Amino acid sequence: MTSSISRIGLNTVAALAIGGVVAATVTSNTALSLLTQAIIYAVFASGVGLLLRQNGMASFGHALFFGGSGYAMGMILQAKAMPAEAALLFTLAAIAVLAFLVGLVIVRVPGVAFGMLTLAIGQMFFLTASKARGITGGADGMNIDWPSTLFGVPISAILKPASMFLLCWVAMVVVMGLLALLLRSRFGSITEAVRDNEERARFIGIRTLVPRAAIYALSATVTGVAGLLSALNTSFVSPENLHWSLSGVALMMVVVGGYKALWGPAIGAVVYFLAKDILGDYANHWMAIFGVALITVIVFSPTGIAGALKRLFLGKKKPAMQSAAPATAHSTEVFQ
Amino acid sequence: MLAINLFNGLVYGALLIVMCSGLALIYGLRRVVNFAHGSLYMLGAYLGYSIASHSNFWVALVAAPALMAVFGILLDRYGFRLLQDRDPLSVVLVTFGLLLIIEDFVQTVWGKSNLSVAAPELLNTSVEIFGTQLPAYRIGVIAVGAMVALGLSLWLRFSKIGLFVRAASTDPTTTAMQGVNTDVLSAGVVGLGCALAGLAGVVAAPFLSLSPSMSADVIIDSFVVVVIGGLGSLIGAFIAAMALGMVQALGAVYIPDFAAVLPFVIMVFILIWKPSGLAGSRT
């Protein structure tokens, strides 16, 4: 236990260092802003992946929390209801609480119907945001008026490509580190027990609804962090940020990257953005290309890129890792 | 005024019935929630557009669904059948991949601008019912919805194949052991489901314009319908489709700002009350 915690600490420090090196060596602003976007979506995908990994549920509506946090920020700042620093924390707290309450209802819906339900709820907010011109600016979107300083740092310094990248990177690493710690705790084991066999978990005295809803809330909050980073990066939010296709893209990143590893979805997001950039002229057909990629990955490598990498580099460690995992005899493993 | 709105609700409800019976059939036999169903509807509509512009609407009405049926049979043979032992979710994501491919295909072939199909001359008139002028084409749409609902119900209830379909959707293993070729049966039913999506597309073309966003609009309403009705339940889907058509049409007039949200609010309340949907018993 202690060794795994110190390993998480070590990995976190190493990851932070890598971000610093990238920010210092990459000088092209285009490359930096591409990477920044990739990292923001890596956080987004991590949120969606968390839900799939710990609850076994695929959400087709997480764009709700991505765009929703941006809108919440924009509205609070517009109304000058509180300082921006407080608004950031308030937005995340509100997402956590609301998602938990919604989660109490919707995690009871079984299997694929859950995905359809999340899709519908997400789309409900997309339509509302598109229609409510007075509050959200409708289809034109809304600008987010950041104050001149944030946590004492001038906003102009934050918005520089290199510092923006570093900020997003640090946010991603911190989120990952916290999640890794949390999932190694008792809470992590409980949610895995519930995911693998809800009935059995209930028999041994675990209340299954609250842990499931808590994971839903946690995954929503992580997605909210991504939404806030995006709102900071572009100072703009539009209904596009709420659209269900965005939720689908995030889910695609999760699957292509591999959701069994905590960092799999992040890999998927980075690969997605790099591929989209490299495809260049062919990018008009990115939907078909990613559709084919998605189907190929699901059919031939259900554990995604992360799974393939693990097999490549950690091939021999596999048995040891499996024995550390909870009993999987009755597990209803997704994608297997 | 109210009569016209109720009428339009019926028209949209009828369209949703055609859509959702396809979804429910595919779910019933293959346990696949077909995320590409809206894209198949769109593909059907665009195919119908091309066929109609080379010959006429009536040919399109038959040919486009027939092409979609072939597509569905292939989809089942080389997709769903090979994936039937996988977790349902992975198959859902395969259909999501398919959705992306079809959307891209349609935009590449037919472009992104809005297209329209003229209603056939025979129905390009209006009929007076209870003192209100109603477009004949839309009455035709209601008739198609009613025929699909009635036809499917009777087919499933009274024909031999319908019996096999009902048996296979309850317990495919036992059904197969009793000598029913469930692979052929499933391919046929998925083909039928896709044909119905195509039919809905062709039927919708003359009164809804063809655009790249048409699939997203209809698939979300269809999901609301099948979730409210209970996954895989035809009767539930019929009732929910009609109810949703009405809610959409009346909501748009009486509470326009709130109308888009109304179906989802209803859905959420129904699911709180009954997580498996109105007529759903299985998960």
Side-chain angles (χ1 to χ4, degrees):
Chain A
M1 198 67 175
T2 0
S3 74
S4 78
I5 289 177
S6 64
R7 209 185 66 215
I8 293 173
L10 212 63
N11 287 347
T12 307
V13 173
L16 287 175
I18 292 173
V21 171
V22 172
T25 50
V26 178
T27 48
S28 150
N29 282 350
T30 347
L32 274 173
S33 77
L34 180 75
L35 284 172
T36 304
Q37 265 199 329
I39 299 306
I40 291 172
Y41 277 84
V43 178
F44 185 173
S46 300
V48 180
L50 178 72
L51 186 66
L52 190 53
R53 186 172 188 269
Q54 295 303 121
N55 268 9
M57 302 173 119
S59 164
F60 282 83
H62 256 48
L64 166 60
F65 305 114
F66 184 75
S69 61
Y71 273 115
M73 232 14 236
M75 283 180 223
I76 295 173
L77 290 178
Q78 205 169 49
K80 296 196 175 19
M82 57 179 89
E85 293 83 358
L88 286 169
L89 298 175
F90 173 80
T91 302
L92 287 182
I95 285 182
V97 172
L98 290 176
F100 182 72
L101 294 178
V102 171
L104 285 176
V105 176
I106 67 173
V107 297
R108 300 185 310 147
V109 176
V112 180
F114 173 82
M116 301 157 85
L117 185 58
T118 53
L119 176 79
I121 294 176
Q123 203 61 9
M124 169 165 100
F125 282 90
F126 164 77
L127 289 170
T128 314
S130 318
K131 296 269 159 64
R133 282 207 140 265
I135 311 168
T136 62
D140 299 336
M142 80 192 287
N143 288 309
I144 298 170
D145 305 317
W146 292 97
S148 53
T149 63
L150 205 58
F151 292 104
V153 185
I155 199 87
S156 56
I158 297 178
L159 291 181
K160 277 193 188 125
S163 47
M164 194 64 216
F165 166 78
L166 203 57
L167 175 67
C168 293
W169 182 274
V170 171
M172 176 184 77
V173 173
V174 169
V175 164
M176 296 280 188
L178 290 177
L179 285 183
L181 281 179
L182 189 72
L183 297 181
R184 262 177 186 61
S185 69
R186 188 179 142 69
F187 174 71
S189 338
I190 288 178
T191 53
E192 267 157 31
V194 173
R195 173 199 63 195
D196 290 342
N197 191 331
E198 188 161 357
E199 213 163 327
R200 184 181 56 186
R202 222 177 274 137
F203 276 139
I204 58 175
I206 299 174
R207 296 187 143 182
T208 59
L209 185 61
V210 171
R212 292 183 87 111
I215 284 291
Y216 183 74
L218 192 60
S219 97
T221 314
V222 171
T223 306
V225 171
L228 291 178
L229 290 173
S230 164
L232 190 61
N233 187 32
T234 57
S235 297
F236 179 72
V237 61
S238 77
E240 298 281 296
N241 299 41
L242 291 168
H243 196 256
W244 76 286
S245 58
L246 196 61
S247 309
V249 165
L251 194 57
M252 202 161 87
M253 293 169 176
V254 171
V255 174
V256 171
Y259 69 98
K260 292 220 165 139
L262 201 54
W263 42 272
I267 299 264
V270 175
V271 167
Y272 174 90
F273 272 95
L274 294 184
K276 208 170 169 177
D277 192 58
I278 292 166
L279 287 173
D281 292 341
Y282 299 101
N284 283 334
H285 293 289
W286 71 268
M287 284 203 298
I289 294 166
F290 285 110
V292 172
L294 184 67
I295 294 175
T296 313
V297 168
I298 291 171
V299 173
F300 296 106
S301 175
T303 51
I305 297 173
L309 287 176
K310 265 189 182 167
R311 276 197 299 279
L312 209 61
F313 293 111
L314 305 170
K316 284 182 180 169
K317 284 189 189 172
K318 224 178 170 186
M321 287 171 68
Q322 272 177 352
S323 68
T328 50
H330 300 279
S331 76
T332 49
E333 297 245 18
V334 193
F335 300 120
Q336 295 276 313
Chain B
M1 186 65 187
L2 178 68
I4 290 185
N5 294 323
L6 284 173
F7 173 72
N8 283 335
L10 274 179
V11 175
Y12 192 57
L15 187 68
L16 285 178
I17 281 183
V18 182
M19 277 297 286
C20 295
S21 46
L23 265 179
L25 280 174
I26 295 176
Y27 183 82
L29 270 219
R30 278 298 190 205
R31 288 292 178 274
V32 172
V33 173
N34 183 14
F35 268 68
H37 209 68
S39 308
L40 297 176
Y41 155 87
M42 177 166 80
L43 188 57
Y46 277 93
L47 282 174
Y49 166 83
S50 289
I51 298 170
S53 59
H54 282 100
S55 53
N56 69 54
F57 179 81
W58 301 107
V59 176
L61 191 65
V62 177
L67 286 171
M68 298 311 296
V70 173
F71 181 87
I73 291 169
L74 294 175
L75 175 65
D76 188 72
R77 176 64 187 83
Y78 297 103
F80 298 160
R81 193 205 287 193
L82 306 178
L83 293 166
Q84 60 185 334
D85 298 328
R86 294 287 195 88
D87 184 277
L89 202 53
S90 65
V91 190
V92 163
L93 288 165
V94 166
T95 65
F96 187 73
L98 187 65
L99 172 156
L100 293 172
I101 297 170
I102 297 175
E103 301 270 316
D104 194 72
F105 176 76
V106 168
Q107 286 183 23
T108 307
V109 174
W110 286 279
K112 290 185 181 178
S113 53
N114 287 14
L115 302 172
S116 61
V117 174
E121 246 169 69
L122 179 68
L123 294 176
N124 207 356
T125 162
S126 62
V127 180
E128 193 182 306
I129 297 175
F130 302 126
T132 318
Q133 291 288 326
L134 301 172
Y137 184 77
R138 294 187 176 218
I139 297 174
V141 175
I142 297 177
V144 169
M147 281 190 300
V148 167
L150 196 68
L152 278 178
S153 308
L154 293 177
W155 177 63
L156 287 172
R157 189 87 188 81
F158 294 111
S159 76
K160 189 129 194 183
I161 298 178
L163 175 71
F164 292 161
V165 170
R166 280 184 292 142
S169 67
T170 315
D171 186 347
T173 319
T174 312
T175 311
M177 279 192 296
Q178 300 198 328
V180 176
N181 189 338
T182 47
D183 278 333
V184 172
L185 195 66
S186 297
V189 167
V190 173
L192 177 60
C194 293
L196 286 171
L199 177 67
V202 181
V203 163
F207 76 100
L208 301 171
S209 75
L210 306 184
S211 75
S213 71
M214 69 184 289
S215 58
D217 298 341
V218 82
I219 193 65
I220 286 159
D221 282 346
S222 304
F223 280 179
V224 171
V225 165
V226 293
V227 170
I228 290 180
L231 275 172
S233 159
L234 270 182
I235 301 297
F238 295 158
I239 298 168
M242 271 304 155
L244 186 67
M246 290 297 168
V247 165
Q248 293 276 44
L250 296 181
V253 181
Y254 295 106
I255 36 170
D257 293 336
F258 194 55
V261 194
L262 211 50
F264 306 107
V265 175
I266 295 172
M267 179 174 78
V268 169
F269 277 108
I270 285 181
L271 287 173
I272 292 172
W273 169 53
K274 240 188 133 185
S276 55
L278 284 181
S281 49
R282 2 172 241 264
T283 52

